[in-house]
Amino acid sequence: LKGMYDTFASDLEKSNADESKKAKTFAALMETKKAEFEALQETLQSHTMDSATKTKDLADSKASLDDTEEQLEADEIFFAETKDTCRARANQWAQRSRLRTEELQGIAQAVKVLSSDEAKKTFESATTTFLQLHQARKARGDGNRGIAYDRLTGVAKKTQSLALARIAVALKTGGHFNKIIQMIENMIQLLRDEEQQDITEKKWCEDKMQKNRWDLQDLDRAIKKAETGIERHGSSIKELDEKITELEGTIEASEKTLQEMKDMRTKEYEDFLKAQRDDVKAIELIEQAIVHLTKFYHAQGVSLELAQGAKRADPEPKPELSWAKEGASYGGRKGEHEGVVAILGMIKEDLKNELKNGSVEDGEGATNFASDMGHLQETLQAQTKSKRQVEMEKAELEGKIADLEELKGLKEDDQSAEKDNEGALGTKCKWLETHFDSRRSKREAEVDGLIDAKSYLAGMSE
């Protein structure tokens, strides 16, 4: 029995030591989890702020996208109209150039025919015949006509004007002065109309080229802005990937801790059940031992108290040899049996108390485990929610990048079209740089010559 008691006491000390060790481990684990919980709370707050910022950026980006789409639609309409206008103007210019070329060729052929030696002889013969009919009057007119002819041909050669040459030929071939003056006025008006048309063409070209430059600048800025947005969102996605990796590690650690707590609780409960079974079995064995020990005395009608008994005032006298007395019967060693039974009773009570305390401690442990599991589950749910939110933010940024890449592609297409338009305008309006000023100078000289000739002819016709 003493060995059994020592075993029970040793097991109890060992269980208490294990319980203390597990309590310390659990306390350290809870400190770690509290720190993780606080860190996750801060992470959640930071992600909430990031979510608000991202929502505002999304609204701004959508508004900017709507504005850009409206501008794109307007630019496409303007570009289509500009292409149609340029095509029509190009056709008009080609037709105008062809007609003027044919006109110049006809004038050149006419001048060639009228300036040939045969034509001169013919005109001289005709003039001689004419002078013979009206000698006194035509001699003066022929002189004035010749002077006017010389003036017109001089201006025509100076300005390289075929129109003046044509008027000079008409004057030389005997055209009436009033008719020639009307031709000069028509020519002056034609030149002024041509001047106005050149000015209109110049303004149109300048406006189109300026708008083309502005459109190219706007498209270049839009493309760079899209590239900057793509780069910025790409950097944000990298940061979110790092957060996702970090959260995945935290979630994995929490799941591992959760499983460890479950395994620890399972083992503790199994140890508790085993200890309960052992204590119950030990109590049964002690009760059986007490029954066997007291069976003899019960059969003899002797009462045994399961206690140490009251203390005696006097020291116990030496035992008498009652069995040596005549007629005495054997009644057993009651004193030793009472001590043993008392010890077994105390061990039994200790085991019962251990059963009771073990149940209470297991209940407290189960309550603490449920509370800790609840907190850890909430932490794990918060971590999972944070990871899901970060993944949604990443998906949203990837969508923004896709939209920006699409927008960039559209802007690059528009930029290519505007560059083509720039080339077409450069070809169509190149004459402004090379011929506008020279055309204006020649036209002014031609008009001055026509006005001078008109004034001279008007003076002669009076």
Side-chain angles (χ1 to χ4, degrees):
L1 290 176
K2 185 177 183 302
M4 185 182 296
Y5 177 78
D6 294 339
T7 301
F8 288 154
S10 176
D11 291 341
L12 180 60
E13 291 178 358
K14 184 178 180 181
S15 298
N16 290 334
D18 292 340
E19 180 68 20
S20 177
K21 183 178 179 180
K22 291 176 180 178
K24 290 181 179 179
T25 304
F26 180 75
L29 178 63
M30 285 304 298
E31 289 294 330
T32 303
K33 295 307 167 187
K34 286 180 180 178
E36 290 180 357
F37 180 74
E38 292 176 357
L40 290 173
Q41 288 285 0
E42 294 178 357
T43 303
L44 177 61
Q45 184 178 3
S46 175
H47 287 171
T48 303
M49 293 295 294
D50 291 342
S51 177
T53 304
K54 297 292 191 308
T55 302
K56 183 178 181 300
D57 292 340
L58 176 61
D60 295 340
S61 298
K62 287 182 178 179
S64 177
L65 179 61
D66 293 338
D67 295 339
T68 304
E69 288 177 349
E70 291 178 0
Q71 183 63 36
L72 174 62
E73 183 178 358
D75 290 343
E76 288 177 347
I77 294 173
F78 173 76
F79 180 69
E81 293 176 352
T82 303
K83 285 178 65 177
D84 295 338
T85 303
C86 290
R87 188 178 296 108
R89 293 295 176 87
N91 293 333
Q92 292 175 3
W93 179 258
Q95 184 178 5
R96 180 183 177 88
S97 299
R98 180 177 59 80
L99 293 175
R100 292 185 70 176
T101 301
E102 293 177 356
E103 182 183 12
L104 293 175
Q105 289 178 351
I107 292 172
Q109 291 294 330
V111 171
K112 183 178 180 181
V113 170
L114 294 175
S115 300
S116 63
D117 295 338
E118 184 178 356
K120 289 179 180 180
K121 291 179 179 180
T122 301
F123 291 143
E124 289 175 357
S125 175
T127 302
T128 302
T129 304
F130 185 73
L131 289 175
Q132 287 176 353
L133 295 175
H134 306 282
Q135 183 174 2
R137 188 175 180 180
K138 290 299 179 180
R140 179 174 176 269
D142 182 65
N144 293 334
R145 189 183 297 273
I147 294 172
Y149 173 77
D150 292 338
R151 285 180 176 272
L152 288 176
T153 53
V155 175
K157 290 178 180 179
K158 182 179 179 181
T159 60
Q160 299 293 318
S161 173
L162 294 177
L164 280 175
R166 183 173 55 189
I167 294 174
V169 170
L171 177 62
K172 185 177 181 180
T173 55
H176 193 273
F177 281 0
N178 292 333
K179 182 179 179 182
I180 300 300
I181 290 173
Q182 185 61 43
M183 290 177 63
I184 291 174
E185 290 177 349
N186 293 339
M187 188 63 191
I188 291 173
Q189 185 61 42
L190 179 63
L191 291 173
R192 286 174 177 170
D193 292 342
E194 187 180 81
E195 172 74 10
Q196 187 60 42
Q197 185 177 1
D198 283 356
I199 293 173
T200 302
E201 290 286 338
K202 180 183 179 182
K203 186 177 184 305
W204 182 87
C205 286
E206 289 176 347
D207 291 343
K208 294 296 183 181
M209 293 174 73
Q210 181 64 37
K211 186 180 184 305
N212 178 258
R213 284 193 294 270
W214 287 342
D215 290 341
L216 285 174
Q217 291 174 1
D218 292 340
L219 290 171
D220 185 64
R221 281 194 296 270
I223 291 171
K224 289 181 178 179
K225 183 178 179 181
E227 291 175 347
T228 302
I230 292 171
E231 184 178 357
R232 184 178 66 254
H233 293 327
S235 300
S236 299
I237 286 177
K238 289 182 180 179
E239 294 177 358
L240 292 178
D241 285 335
E242 293 176 357
K243 287 184 180 180
I244 290 173
T245 302
E246 180 181 355
L247 288 171
E248 287 176 347
T250 307
I251 291 172
E252 184 178 357
S254 298
E255 290 176 345
K256 182 179 179 182
T257 302
L258 188 65
Q259 188 60 42
E260 289 176 353
M261 290 179 64
K262 289 181 180 179
D263 295 340
M264 184 184 298
R265 176 58 189 164
T266 301
K267 187 176 184 305
E268 288 178 355
Y269 186 67
E270 291 176 352
D271 293 341
F272 164 73
L273 292 177
K274 183 176 182 301
Q276 292 288 89
R277 289 194 298 268
D278 293 341
D279 290 343
V280 170
K281 187 174 181 181
I283 290 172
E284 292 176 353
L285 291 175
I286 290 173
E287 288 177 346
Q288 291 177 10
I290 292 174
V291 169
H292 287 296
L293 288 172
T294 58
K295 182 178 181 182
F296 171 76
Y297 295 100
H298 289 165
Q300 297 297 324
V302 179
S303 175
L304 290 174
E305 296 180 358
L306 297 178
Q308 295 292 336
K311 294 184 179 179
R312 298 177 181 178
D314 299 329
E316 184 180 356
K318 295 181 180 179
E320 297 180 357
L321 299 175
S322 59
W323 53 272
K325 296 180 181 181
E326 185 177 355
S329 62
Y330 181 71
R333 301 184 64 86
K334 178 181 177 182
E336 288 81 352
H337 279 79
E338 284 181 350
V340 172
V341 172
I343 292 173
L344 290 176
M346 288 189 296
I347 293 174
K348 178 182 176 182
E349 290 300 323
D350 290 341
L351 290 173
K352 285 183 177 180
N353 290 332
E354 185 177 343
L355 280 173
K356 181 179 179 181
N357 294 332
S359 298
V360 173
E361 291 175 356
D362 182 70
E364 293 177 352
T367 302
N368 293 332
F369 174 76
S371 177
D372 296 337
M373 285 293 293
H375 291 307
L376 190 57
Q377 287 284 3
E378 291 177 358
T379 301
L380 184 60
Q381 290 176 359
Q383 292 170 346
T384 304
K385 184 178 179 181
S386 297
K387 178 175 177 288
R388 185 165 55 250
Q389 183 177 357
V390 173
E391 289 175 343
M392 291 175 62
E393 291 177 4
K394 178 183 176 182
E396 183 179 345
L397 288 177
E398 289 175 345
K400 287 184 178 181
I401 289 178
D403 293 339
L404 287 174
E405 288 179 345
E406 181 180 1
L407 178 62
K408 178 187 174 186
L410 293 175
K411 293 298 183 182
E412 287 175 344
D413 293 340
D414 292 342
Q415 186 182 51
S416 178
E418 287 295 334
K419 287 183 178 179
D420 294 340
N421 187 28
E422 181 183 26
L425 288 173
T427 302
K428 178 177 177 57
C429 302
K430 186 177 181 180
W431 67 274
L432 291 174
E433 299 178 0
T434 57
H435 294 84
F436 182 82
D437 292 335
S438 61
R439 281 166 60 89
R440 169 174 282 183
S441 299
K442 291 179 180 179
R443 191 181 297 112
E444 290 176 353
E446 190 172 355
V447 170
D448 291 340
L450 287 171
I451 293 174
D452 185 31
K454 175 186 173 183
S455 299
Y456 186 78
L457 290 174
M460 289 191 304
S461 63
E462 293 178 357

